[in-house]
Amino acid sequence: MDVLIKEIMLMRKIIALVGVMALFASCGDDNGSLDIVFKATYDNNPLILFDDLDYGDNKIRITQSDFYISDITLTDEDGSAILLKDIDFVDFTNTNTDLGSAESGIRFSYSDIPEGTYDMRFSVGVPQDLNSQKPEDFSSSHVLNKQGYFWDAWDSFIFQKIQGKYDVDQSGNFDLGFIFHTGTDNLYRTLLLPQPIVITSDPTEVVLTLDHKNLFLDGNQLFDIEANPANHDPDNVGPIQMIADNLASSFLVQ
Amino acid sequence: MRKILFVLLISSVFSCGDDPTPVPSGVDLTDIAYNPVEYSFKIPDHFPEIEQDPANIATVDGVQLGRMLFYDPIMSKDSTMSCFSCHAMNGNFTDRLKFSTGVEGLSTPRSAMTLLNIGYHYDGLLWDGRSPNLEHLALLPIEDPIELNTFWPVVMEKLKNHDEYPSRFRKAFGIENSDEMTKELAAKAIAQFTRTIISSGSSKFDRVAAGLDVFTDDEYEGYEMFFDLNPDLPDAECGHCHSGFLFTTNEYLNNGITEAATLDDFSDKGFGMVSGNRFDNGKFKVPTLRNIEFSGPYMHDGRFESFADVLQHYNSGGKSSPNKNELIYPLGLTDAQLAKLTKFIETLRDTEVLNREEYSNPFE
C-alpha cells in the first residue's frame, strides 16, 4: 500500500512539473503567425479564367495559370533565417473560376514564428536540389508528384504554366492557343519583398498579387503572342525567359 | 455527487441488460489458421513503389481472394459476369469494346479503362475521376444496374454460404465468424488484386531505357517527335500528356474530340461533373499508352476504332471548344512521320504482363 501511495505522489509531482514546464514554455514563446495570400490579376483587375481580356487591340483568354513557389524564407536583422516552406504550389487554375474566389486568393498559413522584423524572400520554381529529381521520387501527396509538371526534354520540372487562347482576327473566335511553360535551373527566380515583414502576436498577412498582363511585357510592348504562341523550341526560350524575368515587376505586395 | 454516480451505475446496469452481446449466427472460423504474409509486388526497377491504403496492405491470401472475386460470376445478378468481363487480361484488362455490356444487355455510357498499373493512379479513377481509390472502385459495378446489377447484401449472402469463401476471408482478413464477411472486405480484396497488375518492364522501350536494346531509326525518330527532342523535327506534342513511367500524366484534359460552343454544351461533362467546376466540363482522364495497341477502341466513348484514327485526330487539331487544351492544334505531320510515331508507341508493347499466370482466371 505504501508503495502505491508513493507512486501516486510521484505521479502527481511529475504531472505538476510537466504543467509548470508547459506554462513556462508557452510564456517564453513570443510567437506569431504569417498568412501569405497569392492573388492573380490582369491589368490590376481580378483574373477570372476564360474571361475575355484586352491585349492591345486584340483579346486573350487565360485558361491556366499556376506555379511552384519555394524556399519561402524570413531573415531577421541578425541574418538568421527561418525557412517557412521548402516548396508549395500556387494553383490559380482551379481557384480563379469566379470573382469571389479570385478576390479571396490562395492562402498559405505559417505559425510559431518568433516576433520580430524580417526580410522575406521566396522563389518561383523548383530549387536545384529538388529539380534534379522526378515526380515519382515523391509521395503521391507531395506537390512535386505531378507528372504533368515534369518535362522530359528539359529533364526539369515545369516551374510555371500559363496557357490561354488568342483572338487573332478580333472575330470573337479564340482560335489560337498559347502555351508558356517555364523550367530549368536557369529560369529559377528569387524575389525579395521590398519592405520588411513585422511579426507580432497578432496575425500578420501579406498579399502578393501577380499581374498577368505585366508578365507579357516585352520591354514597353505587349509580347507578340501570335508570332510566338509556344515555347517548345529549345532554341527559342525567349518567351519564357521574358516571363521569368518579368516576375519581379509583376508581383505587387500589399 | 454520490447520488449522481449511483444513478449512473444503476442506469448502466439496466442498459447492459437491454443490450446483450449478440450471438454470431454464422460459421465459426477460428479453427482456420490466420497467418498473413505481406504480398511482394513485382515492380520493374524503374517504377516506384506502389502506395497502398494503410488499412489495406496486400497479403498473399488477400490478393488470392481478390483474384477469385474478380473472376467469379457469383458477383453478378445472374452469375454470368464479373469484373473480368469488362477487364479481360487479353484485352490489356479491357473488353476491347466501344461500350461494355452488362448482365441485362445494356451498354455502359463509356468504354472500359485498362487496369494496367491502376495502383499508381492516385488522382482519381475512371474516365471522370469519380472514384477516389481502388477500395471504392471495387464497390461500384456490383450494384450498377447497367453492369452486374445485383445488390451487395445478395452477393455477401452467396459468399457467406459458399463452401470456400468464408475460409478465404478468414485467411485474408482474420475474421472469426462468417458473419464478419462484408462488402468492404470483398472490395479490399479486389483492390489488393488489381493493385498487383503492373507492367512487366520488358517492353522494348523499357529495355532501351535500361541499355539492353536499341531503337530502330524509325522508332527513334518517332521518339524524338513524341517528346520534342529534335528541333529539326516537328513536335507531335504527345509527351506533354503521355509522360513519365506510366506514359500518362493522370490529368483530366479536353483533347478536342467534342465540338462545344460553350463550356455547358458537352453532352458528357466528364470530370466537370465530379469537380463541380464548369471549366472542367468535357475533360477526361489521360490514359496510359503502355500496351495501348491492345486497348482499342479508343477515347472515353470508344469513337476511334484504330490507333491510326487517334493519330489522325491529333494531327487534325481536333474540334473546337472553349477549353480544348492548347496543345491540340493542327500538327502537320506527314503520313511517314505518323508511321514513325506509331513505331515508337509500339515499343510500349508488353505481352509478358498479358500472360502472367498470377493475373489469370483461377477457375480455368
Side-chain angles (χ1 to χ4, degrees), chain A residues 96-181:
Chain A
N96 284 45
T97 55
D98 54 46
L99 182 61
S101 52
E103 286 179 335
S104 297
I106 299 169
R107 183 175 296 269
F108 298 95
S109 298
Y110 309 98
S111 57
D112 290 331
I113 304 168
E115 291 180 17
T117 301
Y118 298 92
D119 288 329
M120 178 183 148
R121 69 172 188 271
F122 68 98
S123 301
V124 175
V126 180
Q128 198 168 10
D129 58 327
L130 295 174
N131 200 29
S132 63
Q133 301 179 63
K134 294 196 171 182
E136 58 262 35
D137 296 329
F138 301 90
S139 70
S140 63
S141 59
H142 196 285
V143 293
L144 287 172
N145 187 277
K146 293 179 186 292
Q147 190 59 54
Y149 288 78
F150 191 86
W151 185 229
D152 289 281
W154 291 342
D155 196 22
S156 166
F157 280 91
I158 293 169
F159 296 169
Q160 182 175 17
K161 286 188 179 183
I162 299 177
Q163 293 181 209
K165 298 181 193 305
Y166 186 76
D167 182 0
V168 177
D169 52 7
Q170 302 171 24
S171 64
N173 296 317
F174 290 74
D175 291 330
L176 179 66
F178 61 83
I179 175 166
F180 300 114
H181 295 178

Side-chain angles (χ1 to χ4, degrees), chain A residues 63 139-140 163-165 232, chain B residues 51 228 235 237 240 322 324 326:
Chain A
T63 60
S139 70
S140 63
Q163 293 181 209
K165 298 181 193 305
H232 289 160
Chain B
E51 289 182 26
D228 189 22
D235 180 1
E237 307 285 9
H240 297 279
K324 182 180 78 170
E326 286 75 21

Side-chain angles (χ1 to χ4, degrees), chain B residues 132-350:
Chain B
N133 54 50
L134 286 170
E135 284 75 10
H136 175 269
L137 179 69
L139 292 169
L140 301 182
I142 307 295
E143 296 191 332
D144 189 323
I146 295 176
E147 298 186 38
L148 303 180
N149 192 27
T150 183
F151 298 97
W152 270 109
V154 175
V155 171
M156 292 315 302
E157 204 55 35
K158 287 193 280 186
L159 294 175
K160 287 175 183 175
N161 292 319
H162 194 274
D163 288 343
E164 196 171 347
Y165 280 115
S167 64
R168 292 277 183 181
F169 272 75
R170 161 71 178 167
K171 290 176 182 174
F173 298 110
I175 60 171
E176 296 183 346
N177 189 285
S178 60
D179 278 353
E180 297 169 43
M181 293 168 63
T182 61
K183 67 176 182 181
E184 286 79 15
L185 291 182
K188 279 186 171 183
I190 295 170
Q192 287 188 26
F193 169 64
T194 50
R195 205 166 262 134
T196 69
I197 301 172
I198 299 170
S199 291
S200 71
S202 65
S203 72
K204 181 167 185 180
F205 174 82
D206 293 311
R207 285 184 282 114
V208 171
L212 304 173
D213 206 339
V214 290
F215 287 134
T216 66
D217 289 347
D218 283 355
E219 290 166 350
Y220 188 71
E221 206 164 303
Y223 168 66
E224 289 183 307
M225 288 186 288
F226 189 100
F227 285 114
D228 189 22
L229 296 170
N230 186 343
D232 296 329
L233 291 173
D235 180 1
E237 307 285 9
C238 314
H240 297 279
C241 308
H242 297 285
S243 60
F245 67 101
L246 295 180
F247 278 79
T248 170
T249 58
N250 275 330
E251 294 173 306
Y252 301 87
L253 300 171
N254 174 353
N255 63 347
I257 59 173
T258 302
E259 184 99 24
T262 75
L263 289 166
D264 303 310
D265 290 336
F266 293 97
S267 56
D268 186 344
K269 293 186 170 53
F271 183 52
M273 284 294 286
V274 176
S275 72
N277 179 355
R278 63 192 287 269
F279 298 161
D280 291 330
N281 287 350
K283 293 184 179 180
F284 294 90
K285 193 177 185 72
V286 177
T288 179
L289 292 191
R290 287 189 175 272
N291 262 350
I292 194 68
E293 66 183 282
F294 301 116
S295 298
Y298 302 101
M299 307 294 156
H300 70 278
D301 54 6
R303 69 176 59 200
F304 296 131
E305 273 294 321
S306 70
F307 200 71
D309 294 340
V310 176
L311 291 185
Q312 286 296 346
H313 158 71
Y314 287 122
N315 203 30
S316 76
K319 298 176 180 174
S320 176
S321 60
N323 61 349
K324 182 180 78 170
N325 193 279
E326 286 75 21
L327 291 161
I328 310 295
Y329 63 90
L331 298 172
L333 301 178
T334 65
D335 287 346
Q337 288 167 332
L338 291 173
K340 289 171 182 175
L341 264 180
T342 304
K343 288 288 183 195
F344 167 66
I345 293 167
E346 286 174 351
T347 68
L348 297 168
R349 179 187 304 130
D350 177 4

Side-chain angles (χ1 to χ4, degrees), chain A residues 197-216:
Chain A
I197 304 293
V198 180
I199 301 292
T200 67
S201 56
D202 294 326
T204 304
E205 180 180 279
V206 173
V207 179
L208 297 169
T209 301
L210 178 63
D211 193 86
H212 286 61
K213 192 172 184 180
N214 276 355
L215 289 174
F216 290 116

